[in-house]
Amino acid sequence: MSSQPTKMWSGRFREPLDRTFEQWQRSFPFDWRLIPQEVAASKAHAQTIAAAGILTPDELEKMLTGLDAVAQRPLNWAHRISATSGQVDYETSNSQVASAIVASAPQAEDIHHYVELELTREVGTLALKLHTGRSRNEQIATDMRLFVRDAIDATLSGLREWMLALIALAEANSDAVMPGYTHLQRAEPVLIPHWLLAYVSMLERDFSRFVDARNRMNFCPLGSGAIAGATLALDRSIAAKALGFTAPTPNSMDATSDRDFMLDFAQAASTLGIHISRFSEELTLYATAEFGFVDLPEAFSTGSSAMPQKKNPDLTELTRGKSARLLGSATALATLVKGLPLAYNKDLQEGQEQIFDIADTLAGLFSVLPNFTHKLTFRTARMQQAAESGYLNAMAAATYLSNKGLPFRKAHEVIGNAVRLGLDKGLELNALPIADLRELSDYFAADFFDAITLKATLDCHDVTGGTATHRVAEALTTAKTRVQSLQPSS
Ligand code: ARG
């Protein structure tokens, strides 16, 4: 057995820690999740110090095997737990693994201490050489980058899958129409795929924000030491390469205290959350009896314990609610970092749970959104009826007059008068007698009625990005090609 002290730093201390403070300041109860990242970074560091002559090839081999064994701890616990309790569902076993690991190492202060203690169990005092030329400050900065990088990759594939679901839904409703709204008042008819592609546009921007964050953060802090750089002449490119980073970070003070990569991730997640929330809000509204546009899939709705007739849109309410957590975490992180003097400060430990919560929240959202989207059905007849009433063709009507030569401002006024007349008579524009219309303007002719059909109303928006039928068909095809070719991990 080793004579390893219970703390990684106890040498200069005479008094033991206050027990309550000791427990309260530990991060292991939550940062145990970084076991894979801490092990990967430790293996990379072991290779670096072996290259510097600190470990013999044999010692390196033993160290790497020992670290691999430590990486298996969560899996071992999962096996042990399911062996004793039979089948356990994923969530339960996950939280049981967490408590088992945390309970198994009551003396571990944080993830770095845990891996060192467990490695000592595997390889004896050789484990104590691993900390040569490194500091926990660079380790946590590295572990968190690795964690965020994985979380970004998971988010990218979730985004891609959800976009493909939205595109499939758009294809299934390729010629269905709905009223488009401004000020939440019916404005003009649009094709349902045009509306769905608006969300695909938002999500494509989200995708690029995450890719951008990933590229910007992909540099390796290892070798930065506690603040001033490693105290050994290490070849930092070894670890950077082993961990899939582009290069070592260029400044040790920044590398050990920078959390921009967490802010970037959190802010990209917040914007995504806002998009998810807007989508959720629309579906929640469209599922009301008042709109009656959408049939929410029963598999994703719940009933009321009190009112037997209810079908509640819990999924979209919760997805709307989750955006609050994402925004909250991004705000917490920004607030955490903004007043910190260089370089490392322990405050930064507080940021980890925000990042874990964002990653879990996003994973949860993408576990339900694609399937929910695939199962959505629209009440297209009712949507079309809504698109055909309430003078949503008034813009098309004014365009007809301006195409005939009447200045648009004039045309606008004439159609305004026609709408007024229709309101008084209880008639839509297409039902007004031509004689009445000609009293308002000589520019009206019999072909007016062809210019204000639903199809003509859509098709007069014949511009890139407009809702004309052939434009939307084209947009749908190109969006599909673009999304299919997105790489979920860069
Ligand atoms: N648990 C710490 C954190 O999350 C690890 C780094 C500790 N460094 C230190 N100098 N105390 O930030």
Side-chain angles (χ1 to χ4, degrees):
M1 242 351 262
S2 74
S3 57
Q4 193 174 355
T6 54
K7 292 276 174 290
M8 300 177 93
W9 39 261
S10 46
R12 65 93 69 213
F13 284 81
R14 298 245 168 79
E15 267 190 59
L17 274 188
D18 175 277
R19 284 282 299 276
T20 315
F21 170 64
E22 179 172 19
Q23 283 310 312
W24 177 79
Q25 60 100 42
R26 288 175 76 215
S27 53
F28 191 59
F30 52 85
D31 70 13
W32 70 272
R33 292 182 58 157
L34 297 170
I35 291 176
Q37 290 77 12
E38 174 72 7
V39 166
S42 294
K43 286 173 74 176
H45 179 68
Q47 284 172 268
T48 309
I49 57 172
I54 305 292
L55 300 176
T56 65
D58 192 45
E59 285 176 325
L60 173 64
E61 202 50 48
K62 267 178 89 178
M63 192 92 95
L64 296 179
T65 313
L67 283 165
D68 282 336
V70 177
Q72 292 302 310
R73 296 286 196 263
L75 212 63
N76 296 344
W77 279 109
H79 286 321
R80 222 173 299 174
I81 289 162
S82 53
T84 49
S85 64
Q87 277 285 315
V88 281
D89 66 82
Y90 175 74
E91 282 303 323
T92 330
S93 74
N94 222 17
S95 71
Q96 284 178 346
V97 167
S99 354
I101 289 184
V102 173
S104 76
Q107 69 288 35
E109 185 175 319
D110 56 23
I111 179 63
H112 320 297
H113 194 199
Y114 172 79
V115 169
E116 188 171 295
L117 290 171
E118 293 300 306
L119 185 62
T120 310
R121 286 167 61 161
E122 294 291 327
V123 302
T125 49
L126 170 63
L128 306 182
K129 280 196 179 181
L130 183 58
H131 211 56
T132 318
R134 75 171 182 180
S135 149
R136 284 187 294 165
N137 298 351
E138 61 179 309
Q139 279 173 261
I140 192 63
T142 307
D143 292 357
M144 288 308 288
R145 280 180 195 239
L146 292 173
F147 184 91
V148 168
R149 199 174 67 181
D150 284 350
I152 288 178
D153 290 345
T155 307
L156 293 179
S157 63
L159 270 169
R160 185 175 180 277
E161 197 192 339
W162 188 31
M163 282 191 270
L164 289 174
L166 288 164
I167 287 169
L169 186 64
E171 285 174 338
N173 293 278
S174 60
D175 47 19
V177 281
M178 64 187 284
Y181 294 82
T182 64
H183 312 268
L184 202 53
Q185 305 290 323
R186 286 182 196 168
E188 289 191 272
V190 292
L191 284 162
I192 289 182
H194 194 58
W195 166 64
L196 291 169
L197 285 175
Y199 284 99
V200 174
S201 287
M202 294 178 223
L203 301 180
E204 284 190 85
R205 289 195 296 276
D206 288 322
F207 194 99
S208 84
R209 260 185 283 274
F210 282 106
V211 169
D212 210 31
R214 192 189 198 282
N215 290 336
R216 198 177 301 116
M217 60 152 279
N218 203 26
F219 294 86
C220 186
L222 288 183
S224 297
I227 170 168
T231 48
L232 289 170
L234 301 176
D235 178 355
R236 294 186 59 204
S237 67
I238 297 173
K241 194 156 172 239
L243 295 170
F245 287 114
T246 310
T249 48
N251 180 289
S252 64
M253 292 181 78
D254 178 54
T256 48
S257 63
D258 162 41
R259 295 297 183 269
D260 289 3
F261 63 97
M262 292 176 19
L263 291 172
D264 278 356
F265 172 60
Q267 282 154 5
S270 299
T271 307
L272 165 60
I274 290 168
H275 296 152
I276 292 174
S277 188
R278 295 184 75 176
F279 176 77
S280 306
E281 170 65 9
E282 286 209 280
L283 283 163
T284 307
L285 273 179
Y286 291 167
T288 57
E290 286 69 14
F291 276 87
F293 287 176
V294 172
D295 266 326
L296 291 178
E298 287 197 6
F300 290 97
S301 309
T302 59
S304 155
S305 60
M307 298 164 280
Q309 86 286 5
K310 290 288 292 283
K311 182 168 96 173
N312 290 331
D314 290 35
L315 184 137
T316 51
E317 291 173 295
L318 277 175
T319 51
R320 188 176 56 193
K322 295 289 179 192
S323 68
R325 296 174 77 104
L326 297 173
L327 285 158
S329 294
T331 308
L333 281 169
T335 315
L336 180 69
V337 178
K338 84 171 183 57
L340 294 184
L342 292 185
Y344 176 82
N345 296 273
K346 183 88 169 208
D347 315 40
L348 292 173
Q349 181 171 291
E350 280 296 303
Q352 292 174 26
E353 285 168 289
Q354 304 298 337
I355 291 293
F356 297 153
D357 195 63
I358 296 171
D360 293 344
T361 302
L362 292 178
L365 284 165
F366 287 122
S367 75
V368 291
L369 278 169
N371 286 340
F372 169 79
T373 303
H374 278 300
K375 290 219 160 73
L376 276 176
T377 47
F378 297 113
R379 297 204 188 140
T380 48
R382 192 177 156 95
M383 291 170 101
Q384 173 159 340
Q385 192 188 25
E388 279 177 324
S389 52
Y391 310 98
L392 272 64
N393 51 1
M395 273 274 279
T399 305
Y400 165 84
L401 292 180
S402 86
N403 285 345
K404 294 271 172 185
L406 193 64
F408 186 80
R409 188 52 58 228
K410 273 273 172 215
H412 184 286
E413 199 191 333
V414 171
I415 298 299
N417 291 333
V419 167
R420 185 69 260 166
L421 187 69
L423 286 169
D424 293 343
K425 295 194 165 198
L427 296 173
E428 289 289 329
L429 289 180
N430 62 3
L432 285 175
I434 186 75
D436 289 2
L437 290 168
R438 286 190 59 82
E439 258 174 50
L440 296 174
S441 163
D442 299 340
Y443 285 90
F444 283 111
D447 62 351
F448 172 65
F449 298 104
D450 297 334
I452 59 164
T453 62
L454 184 57
K455 177 147 176 44
T457 306
L458 291 167
D459 287 345
C460 70
H461 299 282
D462 189 5
V463 286
T464 306
T467 198
T469 326
H470 84 101
R471 294 285 185 173
V472 174
E474 212 174 279
L476 191 50
T477 318
T478 54
K480 190 174 180 178
T481 314
R482 270 198 319 273
V483 173
Q484 276 174 336
S485 69
L486 288 174
Q487 293 299 319
S489 97
S490 342

